[in-house]
Amino acid sequence: MDVVSFTRPDRDNVDQLAIRAALYDTLRDAFEDSGIPWRQTVREDRGDGVLIFVSAEVSKVLLLGPMPARLAELLERGNTGRTTRQRFRLRVAVHAGEVHHDAHGYAGYDVNLAFRLVDARPLREAMEHSTAALGLVVSEGVHDGVLRHGYGGLDAAAFERVRVQVKSADVPGWIQLFAGGAVLPVPRQVARSVPGMEPDGGNGNGLGNGDGLGGGLGSGIGRGDEGPVAVLLADEASLLDELAGLGVRTVVLVGGAAGLAAGLAPIARQPIYIDHEFIE
């Protein structure tokens, strides 16, 4: 788990140390209150967050339901007594797999994947566009093995499926936001289906990818002859370079992205046919 914007420019060393102390106190209380003995966990400090290993004997239901809800509650309660610069929020990833331990610490594919999940852009965007105290992302393995079955009263429908594209990882994930003792809806910028990963073999309509949620590039596979569609949400010229290799036929420029219209001409000279329209 990571602290959101831990290195914010307005935070000095004193603030960061106070946040770290509060983080560990809050985590311990949240785990204990959720029925997960803190002494049965192994922690590896990451500076702006913590890598926590939980015994396989602990039910994953606790990690997906009671623990994040309680952690969010304790975070909000604690933040009311902290200065503005020392209030903090969290991004949390839950994954299960094989872990290797050597003289230097913990390693392995599943450790790497946990880091990729917590760093996923859809989760970052969801936190940026919401007031959530905590954002949770669940791996495909944990979703398929636990969440989708509704064990312990878990509600899979309360999670939003997203695409996690970080470094070499390109996998689905499921996110949920907590605030005010309740689950928040995922912001519209993030609540998009995942191309090529539809659980029921869908056609990929309405693709949203990690390269542009909430202010960048979102592309969608259209039906029939319509071809792929790209939605540009921000006036960022670098996004045009990404369109060339996508076979995009329709570009929708939303709001401030209308300034990119002139830059579409060079792309249209390639074997890509682009019709563009403007939406205010």
Side-chain angles (χ1 to χ4, degrees):
M1 58 187 66
D2 282 348
V3 174
V4 175
S5 301
F6 181 72
T7 57
R8 226 170 53 198
D10 64 323
R11 287 176 172 155
D12 57 25
N13 287 346
V14 173
D15 296 321
Q16 292 184 7
L17 289 171
I19 289 172
R20 281 169 51 82
L23 170 63
Y24 278 94
D25 287 344
T26 305
L27 286 172
R28 182 195 62 238
D29 292 345
F31 272 67
E32 291 284 351
D33 293 351
S34 304
I36 307 173
W38 190 239
R39 66 179 182 279
Q40 290 185 13
T41 66
V42 176
R43 285 87 62 188
E44 188 173 90
D45 187 78
R46 309 300 296 185
D48 61 348
V50 191
L51 175 62
I52 302 177
F53 297 96
V54 181
S55 169
E57 298 177 356
V58 174
S59 171
K60 296 179 183 64
V61 170
L62 299 179
L63 294 170
L64 298 177
M67 191 281 291
R70 180 58 173 162
L71 181 56
E73 181 183 0
L74 292 175
L75 270 175
E76 292 184 312
R77 181 185 302 173
N79 279 341
T80 61
R82 299 183 185 112
T83 66
T84 301
R85 298 191 322 196
Q86 294 179 9
R87 294 170 185 163
F88 65 99
R89 303 187 297 156
L90 289 174
R91 298 191 313 273
V92 178
V94 175
H95 178 52
E98 299 299 317
V99 176
H100 299 278
H101 182 261
D102 59 21
H104 308 290
Y106 296 88
Y109 168 82
D110 289 299
V111 174
N112 296 338
L113 182 56
F115 287 127
R116 304 295 180 257
L117 288 166
V118 83
D119 199 37
R121 182 162 184 174
L123 182 59
R124 289 179 175 273
E125 295 282 357
M127 294 297 288
E128 179 181 345
H129 293 286
S130 77
T131 59
L134 183 145
L136 172 68
V137 59
V138 177
S139 71
E140 182 176 28
V142 174
H143 171 272
D144 290 351
V146 182
L147 182 58
R148 77 181 183 91
H149 301 288
Y151 293 138
L154 293 173
D155 181 11
F159 288 73
E160 187 71 39
R161 195 169 191 246
V162 298
R163 187 174 186 175
V164 175
Q165 291 178 296
V166 183
K167 296 186 178 179
S168 60
D170 188 350
V171 297
W174 283 259
I175 63 177
Q176 188 176 59
L177 306 178
F178 294 86
V183 174
L184 294 182
V186 174
R188 290 185 60 188
Q189 295 94 325
V190 182
R192 300 177 181 179
S193 62
V194 184
M197 295 184 181
E198 288 73 15
D200 297 319
N203 63 5
N205 220 14
L207 177 159
N209 66 36
D211 289 333
L213 296 172
L217 168 66
S219 60
I221 305 301
R223 300 174 182 173
D225 295 331
E226 295 173 0
V229 176
V231 180
L232 301 185
L233 307 179
D235 191 357
E236 298 177 15
S238 63
L239 298 173
L240 298 180
D241 297 333
E242 300 180 40
L243 294 179
L246 295 178
V248 171
R249 293 193 56 175
T250 301
V251 176
V252 180
L253 300 178
V254 181
L260 296 176
L264 294 174
I267 298 174
R269 287 199 294 268
Q270 300 180 29
I272 300 171
Y273 300 94
I274 300 177
D275 300 315
H276 58 276
E277 60 187 79
F278 301 88
I279 300 178
E280 293 294 340

